[in-house]
Amino acid sequence: MKHKIKTTILLTTFAIAVMHIINKCIASAAVIKHMLNANTGNYFEWRFGNVFYTKSGHGNPLLLIHDLTPYSSSYEWNEVIRKLSKNHTVYAIDLLGCGRSDKPNLTYTNFLYVQLVTDFVKKVIGQKTNVAATGISSSFVVMACHNDSELFNKIFMVNPEKLSKLNSIPGKRSKVTKFLMDLPIIGTTVYNMIINRSNLEYRFTEEYIYNPFRLKGKYIDVYYEAAHLKDSGGKYLLSSLNGLYLNVNIAHALKEINNSIFIIAGSKCQDMDGIIDNYVEINPAIETAYVNDTKSLPQVEAADSFLEQLNIFL
């Protein structure tokens, strides 16, 4: 009996050691191309970690906030920053837990990002600003504006998250999922199984981009690298997303804020007509526009058409 227990312990230890080595190899291989250069920007020393951002151009400030996934970063806006910088001071941020920013082991919540956006506008931008945000990140901006509308001018939501999904809250199952993914070695192994190149390519071709021929090959490399920077610390963000800790009911805030709000949507994005109807039902002042033949990332897929719509409202 003792021999069996000893053998089991040794085999388990060996398996964990092998997983640890594989995880390190995956993280190292993912960032070997150095697609995301931290020397191209600055860091905002925030209380929960250093937050990477770039600043370019001159004019009224415009803050660009990427969608919230472990492989997202400010590179999402790479195709439009240069042209926007001609008339605006453009700030593009890597949210905490993403890209070149720190990825601390904590529970990421909607309120955490509301505080980050608020503090960034106050301490870095230092004046009232326009904001464009993609996906679930739009909800942070709505809540931050509701808390302090004097910090924000116009709000642009690019394919905002479905309101019904934002209403979901953590349950027993989601909490267990988060606990398992937060484990030091096993959780990282699960993360690497989920965030692999094949799955990333699938998401781009099936969800993010309507016409895959428009996708530049480097985007896969950049997004894959972003997911594994900082020793694959993006797993803590993924566990919070899967645990539903990033959701919040924004209906009350959306109804009460008086700032100009614009939704820019990909015409081929699934369920977007219904999503827009729900937002406009709550706040009839919201204006909307579509970028033809695009899905979740029109600023990547059809940058010129996206800019055309954005500039109409700016």
Side-chain angles (χ1 to χ4, degrees):
M1 184 67 179
K2 290 182 179 180
H3 178 71
K4 289 183 178 180
I5 293 174
K6 185 177 181 180
T7 300
T8 300
I9 293 174
L10 288 174
L11 289 174
T12 301
T13 302
F14 177 75
I16 291 174
V18 169
M19 283 192 290
H20 178 65
I21 293 171
I22 292 174
N23 290 337
K24 288 292 185 181
C25 289
I26 290 173
S28 297
V31 303
I32 198 168
K33 294 184 178 180
H34 300 291
M35 303 292 286
L36 292 171
N37 187 352
N39 294 326
T40 58
N42 306 286
Y43 280 94
F44 168 44
E45 296 181 2
W46 196 44
R47 59 184 179 275
F48 291 111
N50 293 327
V51 175
F52 178 86
Y53 71 95
T54 60
K55 177 184 177 182
S56 57
H58 300 281
N60 294 331
L62 172 62
L63 173 60
L64 303 177
I65 304 176
H66 59 79
D67 196 7
L68 191 66
T69 73
Y71 33 77
S72 296
S73 71
S74 55
Y75 195 86
E76 174 187 305
W77 300 98
N78 196 56
E79 303 295 328
V80 299
I81 286 179
R82 182 177 60 82
K83 289 185 178 179
L84 286 171
S85 297
K86 292 180 180 179
N87 299 303
H88 304 277
T89 303
V90 179
Y91 297 83
I93 189 173
D94 283 4
L95 292 171
L96 194 74
C98 300
R100 289 151 288 194
S101 293
D102 286 348
K103 302 179 179 182
N105 179 1
L106 50 77
T107 298
Y108 293 81
T109 65
N110 197 286
F111 181 70
L112 175 80
Y113 288 112
V114 168
Q115 289 300 302
L116 172 56
V117 171
T118 300
D119 290 344
F120 187 84
V121 174
K122 285 182 177 180
K123 299 179 181 180
V124 178
I125 299 178
Q127 59 180 304
K128 199 169 189 176
T129 184
N130 296 313
V131 186
T134 306
I136 192 173
S137 297
S138 300
S139 66
F140 315 148
V141 179
V142 169
M143 296 302 290
C145 183
H146 182 252
N147 289 344
D148 192 346
S149 62
E150 292 303 312
L151 294 177
F152 304 94
N153 191 10
K154 296 177 181 179
I155 296 173
F156 301 89
M157 299 189 285
V158 182
N159 292 316
E161 186 61 86
K162 187 183 298 185
L163 291 173
S164 59
K165 186 174 181 179
L166 288 174
N167 290 339
S168 301
I169 60 174
K172 290 183 179 180
R173 185 174 180 179
S174 63
K175 290 178 180 178
V176 171
T177 300
K178 183 181 185 306
F179 171 78
L180 292 174
M181 190 163 287
D182 283 342
L183 292 173
I185 296 175
I186 295 175
T188 305
T189 301
V190 173
Y191 176 76
N192 288 330
M193 291 173 64
I194 296 172
I195 308 296
N196 59 58
R197 288 187 68 90
S198 295
N199 287 344
L200 183 54
E201 289 171 358
Y202 175 83
R203 295 202 71 169
F204 261 99
T205 56
E206 297 298 322
E207 297 178 24
Y208 293 160
I209 303 296
Y210 175 66
N211 183 351
F213 294 104
R214 290 175 173 171
L215 178 62
K216 297 177 181 179
K218 64 181 179 180
Y219 269 88
I220 301 297
D221 291 333
V222 169
Y223 272 59
Y224 187 61
E225 179 178 311
H228 293 284
L229 285 171
K230 312 284 185 177
D231 292 323
S232 300
K235 74 170 189 174
Y236 303 116
L237 172 59
L238 183 62
S239 71
S240 294
L241 282 165
N242 290 343
L244 306 180
Y245 288 91
L246 274 300
N247 293 338
V248 66
N249 187 334
I250 67 170
H252 179 69
L254 189 66
K255 183 178 181 179
E256 288 201 342
I257 59 178
N258 293 317
N259 299 65
S260 297
I261 303 175
F262 308 89
I263 293 177
I264 301 177
S267 66
K268 301 297 183 180
C269 201
Q270 189 176 12
D271 300 328
M272 190 48 61
D273 287 342
I275 292 172
I276 288 176
D277 287 343
N278 290 336
Y279 275 77
V280 174
E281 183 179 354
I282 293 173
N283 189 333
I286 294 175
E287 297 185 60
T288 63
Y290 286 90
V291 180
N292 291 330
D293 296 329
T294 63
K295 283 190 174 179
S296 298
L297 296 174
Q299 65 269 52
V300 172
E301 186 172 9
D304 289 340
S305 297
F306 174 82
L307 282 171
E308 183 179 343
Q309 297 298 336
L310 185 64
N311 285 327
I312 288 173
F313 296 131
L314 273 174

